[in-house]
Amino acid sequence: MKLWDGRFSKSTDPMVDDFHSSIRFDSCMYKQDILGSMAHVKMLGKCGVISEEDASLIYKTLQEILSDIENGRVTFEIGCEDIHMNIEKILISRIGDVGKQLHTGRSRNDQVALDIRMYLKEETTQIKALLTDLLQVLIDMAENNLDVIMPGYTHLQRAQPVTFAHHLMAYVQMFLRDQERLTDCYQRMDIMPLGSGALAGTTYPLDRHAVAQELGFERITENSLDGVSDRDFVLELASALSIVMMHLSRFCEEIILWCSHEFSFIELDDAYSTGSSIMPQKKNPDVAELVRGKAGRVYGNLMALLTVMKGLPLAYNKDMQEDKEAIFDSVDTVKMCLPVFTKMVATMSIRRDNMLSAARGGFTNATDIADYLVKKGVPFRDAHAIVGRMVACCIEQEKNIEELGIGELKAFSEKIEMDVYEAISLETCVNERNLPGGPAIVSVKASIENARERLQQEEGN
Ligand code: ARG
């Protein structure tokens, strides 16, 4: 017996039952489904659509079903299609005809739209908390590494010196933006669709605002067709999560490079590394690689969702049932990646000497020598050419520029004096870049403070 089989003369082929059933992946929304039904039935009673007495029996029974599910006392049936029908059927099996009134003024179309919004609101809040944990670790780490000089790169070629703190704070900016994006898309999840019915609203005098308030929604949807067929909030979340994964993946890529013998900027803790089954010497950054790899599936989910929604006529279409596996997988993946990544970063050790010696090589202070000459009155283009010649000469002699004697330096330009050594030391290079947003210790300290403030603001959101 199906809850909808009145007009049918045959039962569905078991293959069809199996094919269109979503209970395997939507049962995780049992809590949202029940809480949504509880709010709906409470309102039905208050508005006089059903008797207060029946409403309270349904309400109470739903509460019991919720606790039974939580205690593992309920099994769902594939033949019952989805979580919504499973729960309604259990309700009816417990209280008979009274339970049959629950679905008054409601459709599974607005019901599923409600459930998924509620579910994703909670998940979004959890992901934001995980991002906060990561941000806190990164900010603390930056604070402890303000003076650790490392090369900054462009084209993965050593470019100019920065600090490890500055590098970490770049990721802090990314993850703060991720948090803001999640806060932003949360606002568009926070809209209550019940009352949209199947597509055209309902003739019952429902109090939509009361349901919204009961369930902690900020607003109600403004159009019944859109109310049941909007999945923009799913796409927005899938996209925000893809960007989170992109950031994690870039960071992972750097960690993988940094713990290679060639860089040796960091060492991962043994608890966050793995060995090789054949090569006894190996210590591999598998965790970082796997996080980098998992970005692929999260991007794939976004593409799947965009493609499912593309070309769907209004309003509900069964295609939309395909939204769940994709978005749940993105949510679960991000929730799995963030804490393990945070711990991996929190426990890695920094090899500051290697970072410094890498910054000493590669002529990372070349721009500063050109700037030194500019300050002494040489036009920048000429200064650029002079330093270019110095670099070529140093490459031949296998030396850094600061290892040339004053006489050798003067041969490139008469303007060079003894103060050049101080001017081009890596510490000067870093700390003279003290504009807001620069790598100087003062600038990074200020950006740490700003980041802490933004983080606090986000926690309030
Ligand atoms: N399981 C369905 C889904 O996830 C629920 C809505 C079904 N509505 C319908 N008219 N078949 O989309």
Side-chain angles (χ1 to χ4, degrees), residues 117 188 190-196 199-201 208-209 218-228 230:
R117 282 173 183 273
R188 280 177 294 280
D190 201 10
I191 310 177
M192 207 291 299
L194 279 194
S196 302
L199 75 163
R208 301 190 61 206
H209 290 286
E218 186 64 31
R219 291 182 284 153
I220 60 171
T221 52
E222 298 267 348
N223 177 294
S224 62
L225 294 168
D226 185 51
V228 292
D230 168 27

Side-chain angles (χ1 to χ4, degrees), residues 158-159 361-370 383-402 404 409 412:
R158 280 173 279 185
F363 307 103
T364 59
N365 54 1
T367 316
D368 295 82
I369 304 170
H384 188 289
I386 292 168
V387 180
R389 286 193 287 277
M390 269 183 205
V391 168
C393 161
C394 285
I395 291 173
E396 215 158 89
Q397 298 185 29
E398 293 184 10
K399 276 184 177 169
N400 294 330
I401 296 177
E402 61 274 23
L404 297 178
L409 287 172
F412 291 98

